[in-house]
Amino acid sequence: MAHTATVFIDGESGVGKTVLTRRFTSGLEALAPDALLFSGRCHERESVPYKAVDGIIDALSRYLKRESADSRLISPSDRGLLGQVFPVMRRVETIARAPRQELSQLDPHALRKRVFSALRTLFTRLAERNPLVLTIDDLQWADADSLSLLAEVLRAPNEPHLLLVATVRAASEHDAGNRRVQQLASIVSGDVRTLHLGPLPADDARALATTLLQTTGAISDAHAAAI
């Protein structure tokens, strides 16, 4: 990608945000087979650290292990640290073999800064080699640390040239989480857009129901209207 872009897909629960994102990523895999696609999802009652990027880090570690990635992607001083903060990254041989530090002896602020910087650098180097796309479902459930990490990764200047696609439930459904997402949107650099996904108009919904009913042989205007 030539620049950084972020798309927030906003809509009520069940309106089709996740399906739309999956359709996009499926099409992307066909159109750009060299693209790197890492996906994650937030769960309301999940309490793992950095839960918004948990799935992304998991997919990233699988990619790095599978591809026997160039060790220069991650600086030697950051390998052990990433493996301690994100244990799943120890799947990667160079990270698993890296010496570990005593995290309790590190200043928490300095630790976060180093971890965020290491991931930002890693994403930048990956994006220089292949188109890079990150997707996160239900970002409104993200914890504050996750959003801080994303803000740091996507801040200007010299941010990685990637596409972030995140689904967000309508603000009225989860105001606190959406306020945090709005803060993220105001911080990240590049092309930032919000796509509101609403319900189908009545006529379109009836036409869709009629089309689906044709496959069952039970075509009826009354049935389509009821659906």
Side-chain angles (χ1 to χ4, degrees):
M1 293 183 62
H3 63 281
T4 303
T6 303
V7 178
F8 296 102
I9 303 177
D10 172 88
E12 296 179 358
S13 177
V15 77
K17 303 183 297 298
T18 299
V19 172
L20 177 62
T21 303
R22 289 176 180 170
R23 175 63 68 90
F24 165 71
T25 54
S26 296
L28 181 66
E29 289 172 344
L31 291 172
D34 63 329
L36 301 180
L37 174 60
F38 303 136
S39 298
R41 180 170 194 157
C42 297
H43 296 277
E44 181 179 5
R45 291 178 173 82
E46 189 177 42
S47 58
V48 299
Y50 299 105
K51 66 179 180 179
V53 296
D54 187 57
I56 289 174
I57 298 297
D58 188 30
L60 173 61
S61 69
R62 291 197 301 270
Y63 167 77
L64 293 174
K65 178 184 178 182
R66 183 177 67 249
E67 299 297 324
S68 298
D70 190 334
S71 60
R72 289 174 295 180
L73 286 170
I74 307 173
S75 67
S77 61
D78 291 329
R79 293 171 193 167
L81 185 62
L82 284 175
Q84 286 173 271
V85 176
F86 302 107
V88 72
M89 292 286 282
R90 295 177 196 159
R91 291 172 175 166
V92 184
E93 184 179 356
T94 56
I95 293 177
R97 291 191 285 104
R100 302 180 188 179
Q101 304 179 50
E102 182 54 59
L103 298 184
S104 62
Q105 296 179 1
L106 296 176
D107 174 70
H109 178 74
L111 174 62
R112 279 165 48 103
K113 186 174 181 180
R114 282 187 56 188
V115 171
F116 292 2
S117 177
L119 283 176
R120 175 183 165 95
T121 299
L122 176 54
F123 285 135
T124 297
R125 291 172 179 172
L126 288 172
E128 289 171 349
R129 302 180 178 199
N130 301 84
L132 178 59
V133 179
L134 310 178
T135 71
I136 304 174
D137 212 10
D138 281 331
L139 189 61
Q140 76 279 351
W141 303 128
D143 55 292
D145 284 342
S146 292
L147 295 177
S148 295
L149 187 155
L150 290 171
E152 174 62 19
V153 167
L154 298 175
R155 66 166 173 78
N158 303 319
E159 64 278 7
H161 291 171
L162 59 80
L163 169 63
L164 170 64
V165 178
T167 70
V168 185
R169 290 190 187 179
S172 60
E173 295 187 55
H174 191 67
D175 291 340
N178 278 278
R179 282 196 295 271
R180 293 197 297 269
V181 173
Q182 290 167 5
Q183 290 172 355
L184 173 64
S186 68
I187 293 172
V188 299
S189 62
D191 186 359
V192 181
R193 306 186 186 190
T194 297
L195 172 63
H196 179 70
L197 194 61
L200 286 174
D203 289 345
D204 292 342
R206 188 178 297 108
L208 176 60
T210 299
T211 300
L212 295 175
L213 284 170
Q214 288 175 349
T215 64
T216 69
I219 303 175
S220 162
D221 289 342
H223 287 157
I227 292 172

